[in-house]
Amino acid sequence: MRRTRIAGAVLLAGTVTGLAAGPAQAQEYRYWSFWDGKGGSWAYATEGPATQRPADGAVEGFRFTVGADSAGAGKPRPAADFDAICRDTPAKDGRKRIGIVLDFGTAADAPGGERPPKARTECAQVPEDASAGEALAAVARPLRYDANALLCAIAGYPKAGCAEAVNGSKDGAKGSASSAAPSAGAAEDRADGDDGGGGSGDGGPSAGLVGGAAAVVALGAAAVWQARRRRG
């Protein structure tokens, strides 16, 4: 099936509205989720890295996760601590410092045959008008995108695949997350206990499958950036 064109506002950018199906119908996907660090805790981003332009001192997090929507997305486990991340990077005129947290997820979330690297933090020093995506590119190459500009890999992980459906999801469905479009939904802490991010009730996009008459919860952050990049 052709990849559907994303309509709306992952990685991936903008606040999007739509409906979220109930958990019984949710198909889970393996993808990079995007988070804002606020007050030391994490909130699921409502705008993607391509258009979000964080101020000096901000912290942005990326977590490789398996989930059907923002409620099921694992938060970055390292703390959103700008002072700790950027303490060795002195300020410069005309540039800003953005703390970047990279959490490659758990072995359980890794694609077959791959092993997630250890989580790490980086301090990106970029021009004052740089986006979160540009800050990511400054410290976490190589990045890999698919033909529709969907972010598939950070720092070379994973080696293959892109926002793939995970077999054994609640509805047993198979498919490709590339045919999913995001919608807005309320996020909750992940119940499996491996978040380590703190906080609860963070707002963020979930996703509905677009095409024909169907609308089924699918992916979160990863398709939003793509939409805004096209519109912009």
Side-chain angles (χ1 to χ4, degrees):
M1 185 179 78
R2 292 183 59 187
R3 293 178 181 271
T4 58
R5 293 289 180 180
I6 304 298
V10 308
L11 272 216
L12 302 101
T15 303
V16 184
T17 58
L19 69 91
Q25 289 77 41
Q27 165 68 58
E28 293 187 322
Y29 292 83
R30 182 180 287 115
Y31 69 102
W32 277 102
S33 58
F34 177 45
W35 301 79
D36 291 326
K38 298 179 179 179
S41 61
W42 294 108
Y44 202 99
T46 57
E47 186 173 358
T51 59
Q52 184 158 300
R53 300 189 183 278
D56 180 75
V59 181
E60 306 298 338
F62 297 83
R63 166 77 186 261
F64 194 72
T65 187
V66 170
D69 52 28
S70 59
K75 298 176 183 178
R77 289 166 292 179
D81 187 341
F82 174 81
D83 290 338
I85 295 170
C86 289
R87 63 188 169 196
D88 295 327
T89 305
K92 288 185 180 179
D93 290 341
R95 298 179 73 80
K96 62 184 177 182
R97 293 171 299 165
I98 307 299
I100 301 293
V101 173
L102 303 175
D103 186 340
F104 297 87
T106 66
D109 289 346
E114 295 205 52
R115 202 169 175 183
K118 184 178 178 181
R120 72 176 198 253
T121 62
E122 303 284 351
C123 186
Q125 193 162 63
V126 291
E128 291 179 333
D129 64 346
S131 67
E134 289 168 329
L136 174 67
V139 297
R141 293 184 182 276
L143 305 180
R144 178 167 56 83
Y145 296 86
D146 74 356
N148 291 318
L150 185 69
L151 181 60
C152 306
I154 295 175
Y157 183 82
K159 294 178 181 178
C162 193
E164 297 170 325
V166 177
N167 292 341
S169 293
K170 295 171 186 176
D171 65 350
K174 296 181 181 180
S176 171
S178 60
S179 63
S183 61
E188 300 173 359
D189 280 347
R190 188 171 178 173
D192 61 11
D194 77 329
D195 291 342
S200 64
D202 302 326
S206 58
L209 181 64
V210 174
V216 181
V217 169
L219 179 62
V224 186
W225 189 5
Q226 175 184 344
R228 280 286 178 86
R229 285 174 62 122
R230 289 188 180 133
R231 294 178 64 185

